[in-house]
Amino acid sequence: MMRYRSYLITFLSICIVFGAWEIAGRIPVSYAFPTFTETIAAFWALLIKGTLFVAYFETLKPLVVGVLISAFVGIGIGLAIGLSRMSDWLLSPIFVVMQTAPLAALIPLLIMIYGIGLTSKVAVVLIMAMPVIVLNTGSAVSNTPASMVEMARSFQGSKRDIIFKIILPAASPIIFAGLRLGVSAGFIGAVLAELKITPTGVGDIITFSRSIADYPSMYAAIMSIILLAVIFLQVLERMEILLFKGRGRGHASEE
Amino acid sequence: MSNNTCDISNDNYAVTVRNVYKSYGDVKALKDLSLDFPRGQLTSLLGPSGCGKTTLLKIIAGLLPADSGEITVNGHPVTGPGPDRAFVFQDFALLPWATVLRNVAFGLELRGVSKSEREAIAEKYIADVGLCGFENSHPHELSGGMRQRVGLARALSVDAQVMLLDEPFAAVDEQTRRKFQEDLLNLVKHENKTFIFVTHSIEEAVYVSDQVAILLPRPSRVSEIIKPEGFRHKDADSIRRDPEYLDIVDRIWSSLRTYVE
Ligand SMILES: Nc1ncnc2c1ncn2[C@@H]1O[C@H](COP(=O)(O)OP(=O)(O)OP(=O)(O)O)[C@@H](O)[C@H]1O
Ligand SMILES: [Mg+2]
């Protein structure tokens, strides 16, 4: 019952947003702002022609590579930061700077170093996705309940056991939250890279349709990014639920 | 349990603590503390809050190093945690993501015992502490008293000779507490283990202990050792009405009350 109600509310709020969009497009707020129905039509056309699929094949390359690297390396570095004060001092500042750095200003520098190919785009995704993953993992790991670690030590658990059987499971909900934020940031990074470095993939659709004043297609492309990001995050959440099912909601701190 | 052969001199004592000092920075927690723990008996550490009871217990467990002094378990100096000791934590320290079965078996899991073997042992102790049927529950589904029984079963299942209990009953209600105290007396009687038991409660200490060590506030030393012996053989209910029991409770209270003001 509750579940249907929450679906209903979500559906209603979507209707309100799209309704407002339709009205704003019809007024029109700006000649460059298409109505919702025009956008949907353009979206359908892009889908039928296969343009979107071809585009996403390009866009997803730096995204997938960047997010995978961010996840593995990021969790590794976060673990090091959380476990040793030394690496906290050494590494944390880098990621804090990375997180706050104005990315647009860094892109010319990246192009100078890595050229305009895939590497630069992956770098943009990394800069966007990595810091939040690293910093979340780091703080989750260093906040592992001390008594659980002490318990494992008292039963002569090895360093390895303590990391894999206590620290990582205890930190995993927060690590996953970091991953989710990292993936969303990675999406932004991937599109930004296509707009700022070389227009390929979805970035190309956006740039091209704007240049020929085909605003419905431009908005359709933007909408598709949001849609994909939402689907991706949903999948991640399902994975999380599957992975941690059985453990109580509040979790690690235990009351 | 195979007995150690190289501990002839300390045979009567499972654990000895000699001239132990411990400071946390400027805070002197323990100062020249010495205490012996007779084998097969229950010794309580009783003292005002913050006097260093947990610190002493963790030093014996090998979880904290002493600044100086010597601790032996079965005649062997303590350098770290060992299979001869098992700890029961005040806050239970259960894994919230693991079932009762895995939690109870976790000590054995860390010691490398195979899955089938450790689960068979865990099942036995789950039954012993009265948690049959809860094997597949998670800690958040249990009451405080049940969680502590999981912690106790985990410590029992590694079959260590020395059990270290840090205020294990502090978080449970009074009725459960009394039941636990009776269970503890039975454990001491039937399991051939040495128990070191930290508590705030004078009544509890006198009720369950063969020996009560009273610690002075920081920096902590042993001020008095009391051995309530006269009523040990009596049954659970009459102990609490025994004149010697009441007398000892009074005596401890009068020596501690000066520190409570
Ligand atoms: N990690 C620590 N860092 C600094 N001081 C500490 C630390 N652990 C304990 N202390 C101090 O050492 C003293 C003894 O602490 P301990 O926990 O051993 O006391 P306790 O007798 O177990 O107290 P309680 O009955 O409240 O549990 C306390 O004054 C406490 O403030
Ligand atoms: Mg304490």
Side-chain angles (χ1 to χ4, degrees):
Chain A
M1 210 40 221
M2 252 343 255
R3 203 149 121 228
Y4 290 117
R5 183 123 126 242
S6 79
Y7 281 144
L8 193 72
I9 291 170
T10 313
F11 181 71
L12 262 171
S13 92
I14 290 172
C15 284
I16 290 170
V17 170
F18 288 158
W21 180 356
E22 182 68 29
I23 293 166
R26 276 176 197 244
I27 293 177
V29 176
S30 147
Y31 75 95
F33 190 72
T35 63
F36 173 63
T37 35
E38 283 169 344
T39 310
I40 289 292
F43 181 79
W44 190 245
L46 287 174
L47 211 59
I48 296 283
K49 269 191 293 178
T51 324
L52 266 185
F53 295 106
V54 179
Y56 271 108
F57 185 70
E58 277 303 310
T59 307
L60 286 179
K61 261 193 283 186
L63 182 65
V64 168
V65 174
V67 163
L68 280 181
I69 295 177
S70 300
F72 282 100
V73 179
I75 290 174
I77 295 176
L79 194 60
I81 286 178
L83 288 178
S84 103
R85 196 169 291 179
M86 188 70 173
S87 43
D88 185 16
W89 286 336
L90 275 176
L91 298 170
S92 284
I94 299 176
F95 292 96
V96 174
V97 169
M98 225 182 195
Q99 199 171 31
T100 48
L103 188 57
L106 287 180
I107 286 179
L109 196 72
L110 287 175
I111 295 176
M112 252 169 59
I113 303 172
Y114 298 116
I116 56 166
L118 187 64
T119 324
S120 281
K121 290 177 182 170
V122 170
V124 172
V125 174
L126 287 182
I127 291 174
M128 289 294 291
M130 193 98 111
V132 65
I133 296 176
V134 169
L135 296 176
N136 259 39
T137 306
S139 77
V141 167
S142 61
N143 284 323
T144 312
S147 76
M148 267 199 258
V149 175
E150 219 156 44
M151 180 273 290
R153 285 214 297 132
S154 82
F155 290 110
Q156 295 166 285
S158 61
K159 190 87 197 157
R160 200 190 130 93
D161 279 340
I162 290 175
I163 289 176
F164 285 99
K165 293 184 173 171
I166 306 282
I167 292 177
L168 281 180
S172 55
I174 298 176
I175 293 178
F176 250 86
L179 270 180
R180 250 185 292 149
L181 293 172
V183 168
S184 335
F187 261 94
I188 299 172
V191 176
L192 204 65
E194 287 184 329
L195 294 175
K196 297 271 176 189
I197 299 176
T198 40
T200 51
V202 203
D204 184 35
I205 302 182
I206 296 174
T207 321
F208 177 73
S209 37
R210 190 174 59 185
S211 68
I212 60 166
D214 178 6
Y215 296 112
S217 298
M218 175 180 148
Y219 276 86
I222 294 173
M223 208 172 74
S224 74
I225 297 168
I226 298 171
L227 202 68
L228 198 68
V230 168
I231 293 173
F232 210 94
L233 291 181
Q234 278 292 323
V235 170
L236 213 59
E237 206 176 308
R238 285 284 142 80
M239 236 166 80
E240 204 179 326
I241 291 171
L242 218 68
L243 229 56
F244 304 136
K245 70 163 177 234
R247 48 159 74 178
R249 258 296 154 200
H251 136 90
S253 52
E254 267 284 275
E255 33 207 25
Chain B
M1 206 69 262
S2 70
N3 261 316
N4 251 307
T5 46
C6 48
D7 53 339
I8 307 143
S9 58
N10 281 329
D11 215 25
N12 295 327
Y13 297 116
V15 178
T16 66
V17 175
R18 292 265 177 278
N19 313 105
V20 163
Y21 288 75
K22 176 74 189 177
S23 318
Y24 297 101
D26 291 337
V27 180
K28 290 198 180 66
L30 304 178
K31 185 185 167 199
D32 197 19
L33 187 144
S34 299
L35 187 58
D36 294 324
F37 299 87
R39 187 180 304 283
Q41 301 199 349
L42 189 149
T43 302
S44 313
L45 305 174
L46 182 65
S49 191
C51 74
K53 305 180 295 291
T54 300
T55 305
L56 176 58
L57 208 61
K58 284 186 178 163
I59 289 175
I60 296 172
L63 291 169
L64 271 180
D67 295 341
S68 66
E70 197 191 33
I71 302 99
T72 66
V73 174
N74 292 325
H76 301 287
V78 167
T79 52
D84 45 9
R85 282 151 288 153
F87 209 113
V88 178
F89 292 83
Q90 177 171 355
D91 64 353
F92 321 139
L94 304 180
L95 308 177
W97 56 83
T99 60
V100 166
L101 183 61
R102 177 152 186 240
N103 266 299
V104 172
F106 195 67
L108 294 165
E109 180 178 340
L110 290 179
R111 290 181 183 183
V113 177
S114 74
K115 192 175 163 75
S116 58
E117 194 180 336
R118 67 178 185 246
E119 287 189 345
I121 297 172
E123 291 278 9
K124 172 187 177 302
Y125 284 99
I126 288 172
D128 276 7
V129 298
L131 285 177
C132 264
F134 290 95
E135 287 84 352
N136 294 315
S137 305
H138 286 79
H140 67 96
E141 297 165 301
L142 306 179
S143 70
M146 291 160 93
R147 288 185 209 178
Q148 192 51 290
R149 277 186 259 178
V150 175
L152 187 63
R154 178 178 60 196
L156 287 171
S157 65
V158 295
D159 200 17
Q161 294 110 302
V162 178
M163 298 282 289
L164 307 164
L165 301 92
D166 189 3
E167 295 189 43
F169 310 151
V172 303
D173 60 75
E174 187 58 31
Q175 294 93 298
T176 316
R177 197 177 173 122
R178 287 201 174 201
K179 175 77 172 67
F180 275 14
Q181 291 167 357
E182 287 169 19
D183 291 347
L184 184 60
L185 279 180
N186 279 327
L187 269 178
V188 179
K189 206 182 289 174
H190 298 299
E191 301 267 338
N192 188 24
K193 295 184 195 303
T194 306
F195 289 77
I196 305 179
F197 179 79
V198 170
T199 179
H200 269 130
S201 158
I202 300 173
E203 283 83 0
E204 180 167 277
V206 179
Y207 183 71
V208 299
S209 311
D210 297 298
Q211 165 179 296
V212 182
I214 298 171
L215 304 189
L216 286 178
R218 264 187 10 234
S220 193
R221 277 170 306 123
V222 178
S223 79
E224 205 176 339
I225 294 176
I226 294 170
K227 294 179 190 267
E229 272 159 349
F231 51 79
R232 262 301 139 250
H233 58 278
K234 297 197 172 177
D235 65 278
D237 281 330
S238 35
I239 291 183
R240 292 189 211 274
R241 276 180 270 115
D242 187 271
E244 190 192 341
Y245 166 82
L246 295 168
D247 196 44
I248 294 175
V249 169
D250 259 5
R251 221 169 83 211
I252 297 178
W253 168 232
S254 54
S255 63
L256 277 178
R257 74 185 310 162
T258 43
Y259 300 107
V260 185
E261 255 79 79

